[in-house]
Amino acid sequence: MDQAVHAGGAIASAAPRRRETLRIGIMGAGFGGIGLALLLRKAGFSAITLLERADRVGGTWRDNTYPGAACDVRSHAYSLSFAPRTDWTERYAGHAEILAYIEEVTQRGGVMPHVRLNSTVMRARFDGSDQTWRVETTDGATHVFDVFVSAVGQLSKPAIPSFPGLGDFDGAYFHSAQWEHGVQLAGKRVALIGSAASAVQILPEIAKLCAHVDVFQRTPSWIVPRNNGRYSAWRKFLFRHLPGYRWALRQYLYLYGEFLFDAFRTGSWRNGLLRRSALRHLNAQIQDPVLRERMVPAYELGCKRVLFSDDYYPCFNLPHVRLVTDPISGFERDGIRTADGTLHTAEIAVFATGFDVRHCLQGVEIRGAGDTKLQDVWADGPFAYRGVAVAGFPNMFILYGPNTNLGHNSILVMLECQSRYIVQCLKRIVAGDLGTLDVTRAAMDLYNERLQRELKGMVWSTGCGSWYESGNRITANWSRSTLEYGRQMKHVAFADFIERPRQYGGLNAVEASVD
């Protein structure tokens, strides 16, 4: 890595910026980081480094290898628009197929040589003296970048609740995103803690193996039919040889998702329609009326993540699968004690307890201008300008940042909008020979005030205590359709940014060129 050295009053070269020499550091090599790198390369930026903590690219699809792991967005909508895959085997692809796709586009797009594997970022600090980001990794290296991008996303930090006595438990336990494949489940008594997105995929698979499964449900989820299935040979032939057919399917899936957006408005008729569909699904698949009643959510549909499954509910008709709704008091050597005093014996505990969205960047010390710490700025919950920039952190951008999550469509749509937006910003830095681009505090505050007003009319603000919120704010989700997000992100409003000239040994670009 080239490192500019500024010694004493020496003046660095006053040569104007070029795209191929602008040093760009990207933290994370999942869908966000890889997709951005592909677009940057197409735009002529080549001094790109992706710092990846693991020994393989793939992000969430590398980490989540639990039984049944799959996407709840249709395959042809869950791929990059500029790098489509023609041979998806199922309507909803599994993790292995999605991971293979990410690795394929990484190689085919020439991004792999830019990836530094096993490079965990410890801290990133903006150095105002030379307008660079200095990024330190656990291997002792310090990388110097002109631009720093966080592409770790919202769902990257597994969360395990601090249950009393967990250390006393005699059995194996692990989070669903850190699955221990060496632990054999066949013939064992397993406690599956959680009943949301990961759990509904895990249970149907482990129920085939285990002697007994207790599913610990804190809050029931709204579940609608998934209607998965494998693509026939003739459909795959059309996908491969008729790009127009594949494109039409992708457009249909996207527009159908946009049609569903209104279901997340409080009291909308589409919300009622989806609610009725979910209740019909539950009534058709659960035989016991008492059990059915325990699985009906008391909150408005969509306030927590809506789930898609064809085979979760039927598991509870099996004699060796039991739903536990009493709160967990703590762990003991032989199992889990609930508030009613019952000890639920278990040999293995699987935590399908989601992710710490609010503190997804907590493990990385990020300091901006004036040594301001991002974690301090976000002490009451994360926020950003359009989800991609934070005032006081010049030349830093975020992918899948605050308030860019969705409930109705593919997150890759949002990531592509953000990546193209960031590319525009970097083009501006080069064209204007800028030192830094920094969103104003006023623009960021105004944006978030409007955003939070809009979110008050959405189901996420109805008080169900979901991971979408921090305190009294919704910090995860976007308030409008992806069509509207795309419109807002199509062109950068540079009037909302402070543009500072480059510094050359303490002089700005104009002074340096005159000297």
Side-chain angles (χ1 to χ4, degrees):
M1 172 66 64
D2 289 331
Q3 296 194 20
V5 178
H6 302 272
I11 298 175
S13 169
R17 287 199 185 278
R18 301 194 311 275
R19 293 188 188 183
E20 62 269 24
T21 58
L22 188 73
R23 298 165 297 180
I24 305 161
I26 302 173
M27 178 171 61
F31 254 126
I34 297 299
L36 174 60
L38 288 166
L39 289 177
L40 285 169
R41 282 176 52 81
K42 287 184 178 181
F45 296 91
S46 55
I48 307 164
T49 303
L50 291 94
L51 299 171
E52 170 53 54
R53 67 184 179 184
D55 60 0
R56 191 176 183 183
V57 302
T60 189
W61 298 107
R62 175 202 59 239
D63 295 341
N64 287 271
T65 61
Y66 59 79
C71 190
D72 56 9
V73 174
R74 289 276 293 271
S75 304
H76 287 277
Y78 199 74
S79 51
L80 298 167
S81 65
F82 51 87
R85 178 173 179 165
T86 62
D87 56 350
W88 294 111
T89 61
E90 295 183 83
R91 292 178 180 173
Y92 295 89
H95 75 91
E97 196 166 8
I98 297 172
L99 179 58
Y101 165 71
I102 296 173
E103 292 179 327
E104 176 193 344
V105 297
T106 303
Q107 291 287 359
R108 193 174 68 228
V111 172
M112 199 63 213
H114 299 276
V115 179
R116 303 290 180 267
L117 299 174
N118 300 306
S119 295
T120 302
V121 175
M122 293 190 303
R123 59 183 62 89
R125 181 178 60 85
F126 178 72
D127 188 339
S129 66
D130 60 2
Q131 300 170 308
T132 61
W133 279 91
R134 298 185 181 275
V135 180
E136 299 174 35
T137 51
T138 50
D139 59 1
T142 297
H143 304 264
V144 180
F145 301 116
D146 300 304
V147 175
F148 176 60
V149 182
S150 170
V152 301
Q154 296 187 20
L155 307 178
S156 58
K157 186 178 181 182
I160 295 181
S162 299
F163 289 115
L166 182 57
D168 299 328
F169 181 54
D170 244 3
Y173 65 90
F174 47 85
H175 191 276
S176 59
Q178 299 164 329
W179 195 271
E180 296 284 352
H181 290 278
V183 176
Q184 298 301 313
L185 276 65
K188 300 294 180 64
R189 295 183 66 87
V190 175
L192 179 59
I193 302 164
S195 58
S198 300
V200 300
Q201 296 182 343
I202 293 169
L203 180 61
E205 298 303 315
I206 68 173
K208 301 171 186 175
L209 305 171
C210 300
H212 182 85
V213 183
D214 281 323
V215 180
F216 291 81
Q217 172 189 281
R218 184 178 62 176
T219 309
S221 298
W222 287 105
I223 302 176
V224 295
R226 191 163 177 241
N227 299 319
N228 192 23
R230 297 185 68 82
Y231 284 120
S232 63
W234 70 268
R235 291 287 298 277
K236 288 192 281 188
F237 177 85
L238 293 177
F239 292 144
R240 181 177 292 276
H241 297 288
L242 289 179
Y245 177 74
R246 188 178 66 242
W247 177 87
L249 174 60
R250 182 184 174 94
Q251 290 303 110
Y252 163 75
L253 295 173
Y254 172 70
L255 292 174
Y256 180 72
E258 291 300 275
F259 169 79
L260 288 178
F261 171 71
D262 197 55
F264 296 88
R265 294 189 192 278
T266 304
S268 69
W269 69 269
R270 288 178 196 166
N271 184 278
L273 186 69
L274 205 58
R275 177 189 175 98
R276 289 191 291 274
S277 173
L279 288 174
R280 283 196 303 270
H281 186 49
L282 172 62
N283 292 334
Q285 292 196 321
I286 295 292
Q287 300 165 1
D288 182 348
V290 176
L291 179 59
R292 279 203 304 265
E293 188 64 28
R294 294 162 65 197
M295 303 183 86
V296 177
Y299 56 86
E300 194 164 348
L301 182 142
C303 184
K304 291 178 182 284
R305 181 175 174 178
V306 177
L307 309 182
F308 298 80
S309 177
D310 301 324
D311 50 6
Y312 175 71
Y313 284 145
C315 293
F316 293 96
N317 298 321
L318 301 173
H320 66 290
V321 176
R322 179 174 57 181
L323 182 70
V324 180
T325 56
D326 291 297
I328 294 174
S329 296
F331 277 72
E332 298 180 12
R333 184 172 61 87
D334 296 324
I336 299 172
R337 183 82 63 180
T338 48
D340 65 346
T342 303
L343 176 65
H344 304 268
T345 58
E347 297 167 275
I348 299 166
V350 176
F351 287 91
T353 45
F355 298 86
D356 186 352
V357 175
R358 179 174 174 176
H359 302 111
C360 60
L361 283 173
Q362 195 71 36
V364 182
E365 181 183 299
I366 299 177
R367 293 184 180 271
D371 209 34
T372 303
K373 193 175 179 182
L374 182 63
Q375 286 81 354
D376 293 340
V377 174
W378 284 357
D380 296 325
F383 56 88
Y385 172 82
R386 303 191 186 280
V388 300
V390 180
F393 293 81
N395 288 9
M396 174 179 163
F397 302 95
I398 306 170
L399 287 168
Y400 195 8
N403 292 108
T404 62
N405 188 60
L406 299 174
H408 70 288
N409 217 320
S410 172
I411 193 61
L412 297 195
V413 175
M414 303 293 276
L415 286 173
E416 286 194 29
C417 290
Q418 293 157 20
S419 293
R420 291 190 171 93
Y421 187 94
I422 292 170
V423 170
Q424 284 188 63
C425 290
L426 302 198
K427 287 179 178 179
R428 177 78 164 202
I429 289 172
V430 170
D433 196 28
L434 302 177
T436 59
L437 200 60
D438 188 5
V439 69
T440 68
R441 180 75 197 209
M444 182 176 69
D445 288 346
L446 181 63
Y447 173 82
N448 280 281
E449 288 167 9
R450 183 175 64 245
L451 178 68
Q452 292 301 321
R453 282 199 304 271
E454 293 176 353
L455 285 165
K456 290 187 184 302
M458 308 302 290
V459 293
W460 310 306
S461 296
T462 54
C464 62
S466 76
W467 59 265
Y468 297 148
E469 58 184 321
S470 295
N472 61 353
R473 292 188 298 118
I474 301 300
T475 55
N477 289 4
W478 166 238
S479 62
R480 302 187 186 184
S481 67
T482 65
L483 281 168
E484 176 59 20
Y485 189 74
R487 187 192 69 78
Q488 292 190 18
M489 298 293 280
K490 188 173 183 179
H491 301 291
V492 180
F494 287 109
D496 289 345
F497 287 80
I498 300 168
E499 299 181 346
R500 295 187 176 89
R502 288 176 70 191
Q503 299 290 331
Y504 297 92
L507 302 177
N508 65 33
V510 174
E511 292 170 329
S513 63
V514 171
D515 288 351

